Amino acid sequence: MGAHLITGAGSGIGASVAARLAERGEQLWLLARDARRAAELRERFPGARTLVGDLGEPGKLSWAFGHQELPVELDSLLHIAGVVRLGEVGELPVKAWQEQLNVNLVAPAELTRLLLPSLRLAKGHVVFVNSGAGLNAHAVWGAYAASKHGLRALADSLRQEEHGHGVRVTSVYPGRTATAMQVAVHQQEGREYDPSRWIDPESVATAVLTAVDLPRDAEITDITVRPGR
């Protein structure tokens, strides 16, 4: 039974991945912003362990984890949480830039740093659920795309640095997926939301687990998942 730490397990892709791993009898470690959310996650995923830490304040994660038990060995670290706030460069305030960079980029880097000893022990796997915006930046997506382009760089550097330790690194680039985040995006865009047009979170979960389950003689470095309809 492997141990897997997941961010963003409360909804969307993260919830799908957590449910699939739980069905397999794997040990889940789920990151929650606060104690209330942690309790909700433990109720939803019986047997799961929780860690409390706010991705919006990555500078405090080390202190927070210093007061909690961490996994000794970690088979995968799955970065799935994210935030998006659209706006033109000429209008988007600094706070919106900082929030997206903190949650989408700086926090995954810090979380990875703190958990690398556990990942190295298990010769584990780091998966960054990125975005199509990590490959192409469009109007009003500048801050979000910048955070996701940075996440791609983080993954590429980490892969080269940790290859000798047996740690695999994968970036997954989903297109629009039928999640709560996509509902919020449509609201910001002023568009009607039709989930049937977009990727099912289960399909992205399949891509994530395909990379994690791949035999050790190979490493999937990048997966792009596009809407099939």
Side-chain angles (χ1 to χ4, degrees):
M1 183 177 74
H4 307 270
L5 196 152
I6 306 171
T7 73
S11 65
I13 297 166
S16 294
V17 171
R20 297 268 283 274
L21 288 170
E23 286 169 12
R24 288 164 34 164
E26 310 269 2
Q27 174 65 59
L28 298 184
W29 290 74
L30 308 177
L31 186 76
R33 182 185 307 163
D34 52 43
R36 181 182 61 82
R37 286 174 180 257
E40 290 171 356
L41 286 171
R42 288 194 301 273
E43 186 175 342
R44 182 171 181 178
F45 300 101
R49 307 283 296 272
T50 51
L51 283 171
V52 174
D54 187 353
L55 298 178
E57 298 188 82
K60 295 182 178 179
L61 288 173
S62 179
W63 180 88
F65 285 3
H67 296 74
Q68 302 175 75
E69 182 185 351
L70 297 178
V72 176
E73 293 191 23
L74 195 57
D75 293 276
S76 79
L77 171 57
L78 308 171
H79 296 285
I80 306 178
V83 295
V84 58
R85 183 169 167 193
L86 304 183
E88 294 184 359
V89 174
E91 298 175 356
L92 204 62
V94 166
K95 185 176 180 181
W97 280 89
Q98 290 176 332
E99 180 192 16
Q100 291 177 94
L101 288 167
N102 278 342
V103 174
N104 298 344
L105 175 58
V106 182
E110 176 67 353
L111 203 54
T112 302
R113 183 182 76 84
L114 295 171
L115 291 163
L116 263 179
S118 301
L119 286 158
R120 288 169 176 166
L121 268 178
K123 292 188 170 12
H125 200 135
V126 184
V127 177
F128 297 94
V129 174
N130 198 300
S131 166
L135 300 172
N136 295 287
H138 298 287
V140 308
W141 287 82
Y144 180 77
S147 71
K148 291 297 191 175
H149 274 66
L151 193 67
R152 179 187 184 185
L154 166 61
D156 290 348
S157 294
L158 182 71
R159 185 179 303 112
Q160 292 191 32
E161 291 165 2
E162 294 302 316
H163 185 78
H165 294 288
V167 175
R168 299 191 296 189
V169 179
T170 301
S171 288
V172 181
Y173 302 92
R176 292 192 183 227
T177 304
T179 65
M181 177 185 279
Q182 195 55 233
V183 174
V185 166
H186 275 69
Q187 289 173 345
Q188 292 178 58
E189 292 175 326
R191 298 168 60 192
E192 188 176 334
Y193 176 66
D194 177 4
S196 68
R197 293 184 60 194
W198 310 122
I199 304 166
D200 190 304
E202 286 291 331
S203 299
V204 182
T206 297
V208 169
L209 293 177
T210 297
V212 172
D213 293 339
L214 194 73
R216 293 293 321 188
D217 64 299
E219 174 183 30
I220 295 176
T221 59
D222 300 274
I223 308 174
T224 301
V225 186
R226 306 301 304 167
R229 300 185 182 96

